[in-house]
Amino acid sequence: MRIVKYLFIVSFYFFIGTSGAQNTANPFELRASGSETVANKHQPKPIAEQEIDHSNPFEIIHVPANYALRDTLLVKKPIPITSKKVKNQNFLFVSISLLLLFLTILVVMNRGLLANIYRAIFSDTYLKVVYRFQNSGHTLSYGLFYLFFFLNAGLFLTLLLKQFKFNYFASDITLFFVCVGGIALTYFIKHSVLRIIGLIFPVQKEISYYSFTIIAFNIFLGIALLPINSLISFSSDQVANLCLYLGVIFFLLLYCIRQLRGMFLAANYLTFQKFHFLSTFAPSK
């Protein structure tokens, strides 16, 4: 009986001890710190729950920050560079570099020819002097400078057509060679027609001089177009548009001066022919 009594007392004390332990705090339980409690107290309430004083114009309304929207606005998406634009820039860079190299070789080989062309553009008398000495070993030099004009004028026409969204060809290289070929064919037909007129009518010397005037003006135009093409190719859109218009105005100005030279030449020829006819007709009377 004593053993049963002792077991009952031990069991009773063990039951009381376990129930008391459940009421005490767990030593491993995480408690909220004081800073988190303060932060929860100072969190902005929703706009609907805030007490807004509409009579105060300086009332501050606490709006919860939208960090997702902020990150979306701050992150800039990279602008994709199309392969067509890269090819266009590479084509222009290679074209301008080759034209500069070609001009450098021409200047080294024929430095005096450029000075003569420059003076002949602004002086009709000096142009006649240059025309008289053009056959003294400079035929190839004039041909190379004329080729340089075709290349530069073709590049300028290519840039002008691209400015007006002329995209009927697969690539800029094709458009460039089409422009160069079109300009070369136009002047080939023009010089051929003038030569035929000189052979048919007794104006071969005058026609030859007029053809040389066209060549001299075009050589000067080709050299002047090189810096214009460079600025159009590698400058901003505003500067490129301005250079395009300046190039067109410069071409029209040289064309008008060249046409005036041709009119003066024709006027001198017609006056001489009329005087020659009168001097021949008077003795017969």
Side-chain angles (χ1 to χ4, degrees), residues 161-236:
L161 292 177
K162 286 180 62 64
Q163 177 67 22
F164 292 101
K165 309 300 180 182
F166 185 86
N167 297 321
Y168 293 102
F169 295 94
S171 62
D172 295 336
I173 300 177
T174 306
L175 179 60
F176 169 71
F177 282 110
V178 168
C179 292
V180 172
I183 295 173
L185 181 62
T186 301
Y187 278 98
F188 175 77
I189 294 174
K190 185 168 186 176
H191 287 292
S192 300
V193 171
L194 290 174
R195 186 175 182 84
I196 293 172
I197 293 175
L199 293 175
I200 295 175
F201 300 99
V203 289
Q204 187 174 2
K205 185 180 294 185
E206 288 77 8
I207 291 296
S208 178
Y209 175 71
Y210 181 66
S211 295
F212 179 76
T213 303
I214 295 175
I215 294 174
F217 273 83
N218 286 342
I219 290 175
F220 181 77
L221 177 62
I223 296 173
L225 282 178
L226 182 59
I228 295 177
N229 289 336
S230 303
L231 289 174
I232 295 172
S233 302
F234 305 113
S235 59
S236 60

Side-chain angles (χ1 to χ4, degrees), residues 61-79:
I61 302 175
H62 298 280
V63 180
N66 191 347
Y67 294 101
L69 179 61
R70 182 199 64 181
D71 296 338
T72 304
L73 295 176
L74 289 180
V75 176
K76 295 183 179 179
K77 297 181 179 180
I79 300 175

Side-chain angles (χ1 to χ4, degrees), residues 88-159:
N88 183 27
Q89 292 296 326
N90 293 337
F91 162 71
L92 293 176
F93 177 76
V94 172
S95 301
I96 297 296
S97 301
L98 291 178
L99 287 173
L100 283 172
L101 179 62
F102 189 26
L103 180 61
T104 303
I105 296 174
L106 292 177
V107 171
V108 171
M109 294 175 56
N110 306 279
R111 186 174 302 176
L113 189 145
L114 282 181
N116 292 334
I117 291 294
Y118 177 77
R119 292 181 60 183
I121 293 299
F122 301 100
S123 175
D124 187 54
T125 305
Y126 196 81
L127 181 62
K128 292 178 181 179
V129 174
V130 175
Y131 167 70
R132 292 172 186 173
F133 294 98
Q134 66 167 326
N135 295 324
S136 59
H138 292 291
T139 305
L140 179 61
S141 301
Y142 280 104
L144 292 176
F145 272 105
Y146 213 24
L147 176 62
F148 182 77
F149 159 73
F150 290 142
L151 296 175
N152 249 324
L155 182 59
F156 179 78
L157 185 59
T158 301
L159 297 172

Side-chain angles (χ1 to χ4, degrees), residues 10 15 53 65 70 73 80 143 153 210 257:
V10 171
F15 176 76
D53 186 7
R70 182 199 64 181
L73 295 176
Y210 181 66
I257 296 175

